[in-house]
């Protein structure tokens, strides 16, 4: 009986531990996935709208998500182990999430969390009950901070080299276990096994994260190929056709919120191709698209730029009246005039004609709105080019 009881107890413990490992593994994978998707989504937002305040808020959110993740792991481990937090698997999981976040998020707040985490966890105990180890604790904290700083500023080099990656993980993990040792008193061989286990664990997570990152990049690249113009980098005709229909449905129902559309055309574009070559024409298109895209982000959050085809572009202004859109377009046009394109030592003076209109109650579809703005554009060109026509009124820029 005692032998059977001992075997049954061992078997039960083995099964329970295996279940716990599976639960924590699944939770960790979920957290890693959330962190990866969030990091890439926020990176895309910042890349398209690099406002310091917005960037700081997104970094705060990333830091908050990391903190919540660490607390969640702690609570789950405490529940599964009846409050016993001395498991090396728990420590390895926490370190993995900390270090993975550092690699994934280009964020000084995450860098700071990695440096202060051991102080917040063990600092009070080191000062009050383990004074004999205070010097060792302080030196280890400083070395860990230096390691974190090195990782943050050399991520690409570390991730691209398997050898560097293993060395850095070994240093990071060893410093953490030196910090933990006075409070847990692990044997040396056990500490070495834990560091090796951490490196293996981190390598598996790195492989998983790479698969997630590659899938995300493939999706982003596919989306970009489908929705973005290859030459100028802005949204293309296909994207415009899709967005315009959705926008019309929303704003046609909500008559209290304005919607306007601007269509513009580069004047005498063929002259750039004939005089300087098609490469110059491509440079002109890219210059105009880049300048308009940049200024739209600076002047209004409601303007979305599309390349409609050839040298024609369209801007959808959400929440702006036709008069407000005219003012925005005039400001961007003046910026373009004052910032000529320099091509092979020559200044290329680019001029543009515009048409602008606002959604009306009589519009039954986006086609009505588009045909009207297209007609206004041609009125600007027929009037001598370098003009703007809004609601059937043509403006000569030189008379403004």
């Amino acid at each position: 009986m005692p032998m059977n009881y001992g075997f049954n107890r061992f078997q039960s413990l083995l099964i329970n531990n295996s279940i716990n490992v599976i639960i924590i593994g699944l939770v960790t994978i979920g957290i890693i996935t959330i962190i990866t998707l969030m990091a890439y989504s926020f990176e895309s937002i910042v890349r398209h709208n690099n406002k310091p305040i917005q960037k700081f808020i997104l970094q705060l959110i990333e830091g908050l998500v990391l903190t919540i993740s660490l607390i969640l792991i702690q609570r789950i481990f405490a529940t599964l182990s009846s409050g016993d937090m001395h498991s090396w698997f728990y420590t390895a999981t926490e370190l993995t999430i900390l270090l993975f976040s550092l690699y994934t998020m280009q964020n000084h707040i995450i860098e700071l969390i990695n440096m202060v985490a051991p102080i917040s966890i063990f600092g009070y105990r080191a000062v009050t009950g383990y004074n004999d180890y205070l010097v060792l604790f302080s030196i280890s904290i400083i070395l860990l901070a230096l390691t974190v700083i090195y990782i943050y500023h050399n991520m690409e080099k570390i991730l691209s080299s398997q050898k560097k990656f293993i060395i850095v993980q070994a240093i990071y993990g060893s410093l953490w276990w030196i910090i933990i040792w006075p409070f847990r008193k692990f044997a040396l061989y056990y500490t070495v096994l834990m560091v090796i286990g951490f490196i293996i664990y981190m390598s598996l997570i790195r492989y998983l994260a790479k698969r997630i990152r590659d899938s995300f990049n493939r999706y982003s690249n596919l989306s970009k190929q489908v929705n973005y113009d290859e030459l100028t980098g802005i949204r293309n005709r296909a994207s415009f056709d899709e967005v315009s229909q959705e926008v019309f449905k929303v704003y046609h129902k909500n008559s209290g919120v304005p919607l306007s559309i601007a269509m513009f055309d580069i004047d005498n574009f063929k002259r750039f191709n004939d005089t300087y070559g098609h490469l110059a024409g491509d440079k002109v298109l890219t210059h105009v698209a880049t300048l308009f895209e940049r200024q739209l982000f600076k002047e209004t959050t409601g303007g979305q730029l599309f390349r409609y085809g050839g040298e024609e572009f369209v801007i959808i202004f959400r929440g702006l009246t036709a008069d407000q859109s005219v003012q925005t377009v005039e400001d961007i046009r003046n910026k373009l005039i004052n910032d000529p394109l320099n091509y092979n030592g020559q200044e290329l003076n680019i001029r543009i004609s515009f048409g602008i209109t606002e959604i009306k109650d009589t519009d039954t579809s986006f086609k009505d709105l588009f045909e009207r703005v297209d007609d206004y554009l041609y009125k600007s060109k027929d009037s001598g080019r370098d003009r703007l026509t809004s609601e059937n009124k043509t403006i000569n820029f030189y008379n403004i």
Side-chain angles (χ1 to χ4, degrees):
M1 282 292 292
M3 183 177 294
N4 289 335
Y5 173 77
F7 175 76
N8 291 336
R9 187 170 181 275
F10 172 76
Q11 188 179 42
S12 175
L13 183 64
L14 184 63
I15 293 172
N16 289 335
N17 285 339
S18 298
I19 293 174
N20 291 348
V21 168
I22 292 172
I23 293 173
I24 293 300
L26 291 174
V27 171
T28 304
I29 290 172
I31 291 173
I32 293 297
T33 303
I34 291 171
I35 288 174
T36 303
L37 296 177
M38 181 176 63
Y40 276 85
S41 299
F42 286 3
E43 182 183 336
S44 177
I45 294 172
V46 171
R47 186 169 57 250
H48 287 92
N49 191 8
N50 193 15
K51 294 181 179 180
I53 294 179
Q54 185 184 57
K55 184 176 181 180
F56 178 70
I57 291 174
L58 294 179
Q59 289 183 345
L60 281 177
I61 293 173
E62 288 180 338
L64 180 62
V65 169
L66 174 58
T67 303
I68 293 173
S69 299
L70 295 175
I71 294 173
L72 177 64
I73 290 293
Q74 184 185 52
R75 293 288 182 267
I76 292 174
F77 258 103
T79 301
L80 294 176
S81 59
S82 302
D84 182 13
M85 304 301 293
H86 287 75
S87 167
W88 76 268
F89 188 45
Y90 161 70
T91 307
T93 302
E94 294 272 62
L95 298 192
T96 299
I97 293 174
L98 275 168
L99 190 54
F100 177 79
S101 299
L102 184 64
Y103 280 126
T104 307
M105 301 174 180
Q106 302 295 316
N107 188 335
H108 286 294
I109 293 177
I110 302 299
E111 181 184 16
L112 182 62
I113 291 175
N114 266 268
M115 289 190 283
V116 303
I119 300 175
S120 63
I121 297 172
F122 301 109
Y124 176 76
R125 297 174 66 185
V127 172
T128 57
Y130 296 83
N131 292 327
D132 293 342
Y133 301 102
L134 188 57
V135 174
L136 176 63
F137 179 81
S138 301
I139 293 173
S140 301
I141 290 293
I142 293 172
L143 292 176
L144 180 65
L146 293 174
T147 303
V148 169
I149 293 171
Y150 174 80
I151 293 172
Y152 185 84
H153 292 283
N154 296 274
M155 290 183 189
E156 291 186 7
K157 293 180 180 179
I158 296 170
L159 292 173
S160 61
S161 170
Q162 184 71 19
K163 181 179 178 181
K164 286 184 179 179
F165 181 80
I166 293 175
I167 292 173
V168 169
Q169 308 325 299
I171 294 172
Y172 181 90
S174 298
L175 287 171
W176 258 100
W177 262 281
I178 291 173
I179 292 170
I180 295 171
W181 180 77
F183 315 106
R184 303 276 174 87
K185 290 296 192 302
F186 293 125
L188 179 60
Y189 79 92
Y190 192 50
T191 302
V192 172
L193 290 177
M194 287 191 290
V195 172
I196 294 173
F198 170 68
I199 294 172
I200 295 172
Y201 193 44
M202 191 66 198
S203 297
L204 292 173
I205 294 297
R206 176 182 178 238
Y207 172 77
L208 175 65
K210 186 177 185 301
R211 296 295 297 270
I212 296 173
R213 187 164 56 247
D214 289 346
S215 298
F216 193 84
N217 285 338
R218 281 195 296 271
Y219 173 79
S220 298
N221 290 335
L222 179 62
S223 176
K224 189 171 183 179
Q225 290 172 7
V226 172
N227 295 303
Y228 287 84
D229 178 56
E230 184 177 358
L231 175 63
T232 61
I234 64 173
R235 290 184 175 272
N236 59 18
R237 170 74 177 271
S239 178
F240 171 74
D241 290 340
E242 180 180 352
V243 171
S244 60
Q245 298 302 323
E246 294 175 356
V247 166
F248 182 82
K249 289 179 183 178
V250 172
Y251 284 84
H252 188 254
K253 293 178 181 178
N254 190 356
S255 57
V257 181
L259 172 76
S260 58
I261 180 173
M263 189 172 188
F264 65 91
D265 183 292
I266 300 173
D267 294 332
N268 300 310
F269 178 73
K270 187 174 181 297
R271 176 171 55 85
F272 293 113
N273 286 330
D274 294 343
T275 306
Y276 304 101
H278 287 280
L279 183 58
D282 290 347
K283 292 289 184 182
V284 169
L285 289 170
T286 304
H287 178 70
V288 171
T290 301
L291 187 142
F292 266 81
E293 181 90 333
R294 184 175 65 245
Q295 293 302 122
L296 281 171
F297 278 122
K298 288 184 178 180
E299 298 195 17
T300 174
T301 57
Q304 194 171 18
L305 178 66
F306 302 83
R307 185 183 179 191
Y308 187 74
E311 65 270 25
E312 288 186 331
F313 298 81
V314 180
I315 308 173
I316 295 177
F317 288 104
R318 306 171 195 239
L320 294 187
T321 63
D323 289 340
Q324 290 171 326
S325 300
V326 167
Q327 184 60 57
T328 299
V329 164
E330 286 179 355
D331 292 342
I332 299 176
R333 181 262 180 194
N334 292 336
K335 177 69 176 175
L336 178 69
I337 298 301
N338 296 324
D339 186 21
L341 173 64
N342 190 295
Y343 181 75
N344 290 340
Q346 300 185 61
E347 282 192 357
L348 304 186
N349 295 309
I350 304 169
R351 297 294 183 266
I352 294 177
S353 297
F354 297 88
I356 296 178
T357 190
E358 186 176 340
I359 192 171
K360 302 181 185 303
D361 293 335
T362 55
D363 294 331
T364 59
S365 67
F366 187 82
K367 182 181 178 182
D368 296 333
L369 182 66
F370 186 77
E371 287 180 349
R372 190 164 59 249
V373 77
D374 187 49
D375 180 56
Y376 290 164
L377 171 60
Y378 278 94
K379 283 186 177 181
S380 294
K381 299 189 79 73
D382 290 342
S383 299
R385 295 187 174 89
D386 198 16
R387 284 163 171 74
L388 183 153
T389 300
S390 176
E391 309 303 12
N392 223 19
K393 179 182 177 182
T394 301
I395 302 170
N396 187 335
F397 287 115
Y398 293 100
N399 295 330
I400 297 176

